Amino acid sequence: MQHPAVPELSHTHTRPIHWVATAAALAGVVALSSFLQPDAATAAQPAAPRTKSAPQRTAPPDPTDVAFPLECGPVEALVQKTASGDLDGDGVPETVVAVHCDAPMGTPPDAVYVLTRDSGNAPRVVATLVATRERRTVTDLRVRDGAVLATMLGYSTSDVPSCCPDVTDDVTWRWKDGAFLRGTPAPARTV
C-alpha cells in the first residue's frame, strides 16, 4: 500500500454533522427562492410606435355608461348584445348594441345603436339602426368586414301577439357617404 504524500485532513471525511449542515443550507436556499420569484411572463408584444399610416389601437366604446335614447319609464335600459369593429374605415373601433327596457314581463322590442367616442373619449350614440317602434328582437348581432349583421325576429302583421314573433330577418348595415345604409334583406323567413 502506498502512503499519500499529503497527510489526510480531518475535514475531508464526511461525518453526520456535514450532512446536517448541507441539508440546512439547501433548505435555506429553497425557502429563499420561494420568496424571490421572477415577474410573470406575458405573450403580449410591445406596442408599435404610432405613425400617420398606423393609427393608435383603442378599445371599442363601452356601453355601460351610455344614456340611450330609449324611454323605459321606471325600469332601466338593458344591453342585450354587443359587437365591435371598425365600421367607417378610420382604424378606430365602434360598438353596436342591442338594447331594450328591462320589463318584468313580456318581450320588449330591441333598439340597435352605434356607439363611438366623442372628443373627450367618452362613449356616445351616433346612430340608431333599429328603433323600438319596429317591434324587433335581435337574436344575433356581429360586425364583420366593416358591416353590421343582425338576425331579428319580428311580426308579419300587427295582429300577431307580442309573445310570438313569426318572421326572421337577416339584416346588414354598411357605412357609406356619411350614413348607415341598410342592405337589401333576404326574403323574410317564417318562424
Side-chain angles (χ1 to χ4, degrees), residues 22-179:
T22 302
L26 184 58
V29 168
V30 170
L32 184 60
S33 70
S34 67
F35 292 108
L36 302 173
Q37 295 293 322
D39 291 337
T42 61
Q45 298 294 321
R50 186 176 181 190
T51 63
K52 288 182 181 179
S53 62
Q56 183 179 9
R57 296 270 180 204
T58 59
D62 182 3
T64 336
D65 296 326
V66 174
F68 294 103
L70 194 59
E71 295 295 325
C72 290
V75 297
E76 299 283 323
L78 181 67
V79 175
Q80 280 298 108
K81 301 196 178 307
T82 64
S84 297
D86 183 10
L87 300 176
D88 56 3
D90 66 352
V92 179
E94 287 78 28
T95 299
V96 183
V97 294
V99 182
H100 67 239
C101 296
D102 192 13
M105 296 176 59
T107 306
D110 290 332
V112 178
Y113 301 109
V114 177
L115 309 177
T116 191
R117 294 186 183 278
D118 63 17
S119 59
N121 209 25
R124 66 182 175 95
V125 175
V126 292
T128 301
L129 302 180
V130 177
T132 56
R133 70 179 174 280
E134 295 179 46
R135 296 180 59 212
R136 301 288 181 199
T137 301
V138 177
T139 60
D140 186 38
L141 183 65
R142 35 187 210 287
V143 171
R144 187 173 11 144
D145 299 326
V148 178
L149 305 151
T151 301
M152 299 186 297
L153 301 178
Y155 308 92
S156 57
T157 68
S158 59
D159 297 332
V160 176
S162 298
C163 70
C164 312
D166 64 341
V167 175
T168 301
D169 290 320
D170 292 320
V171 184
T172 303
W173 293 271
R174 194 170 287 281
W175 181 257
K176 185 174 181 183
D177 298 327

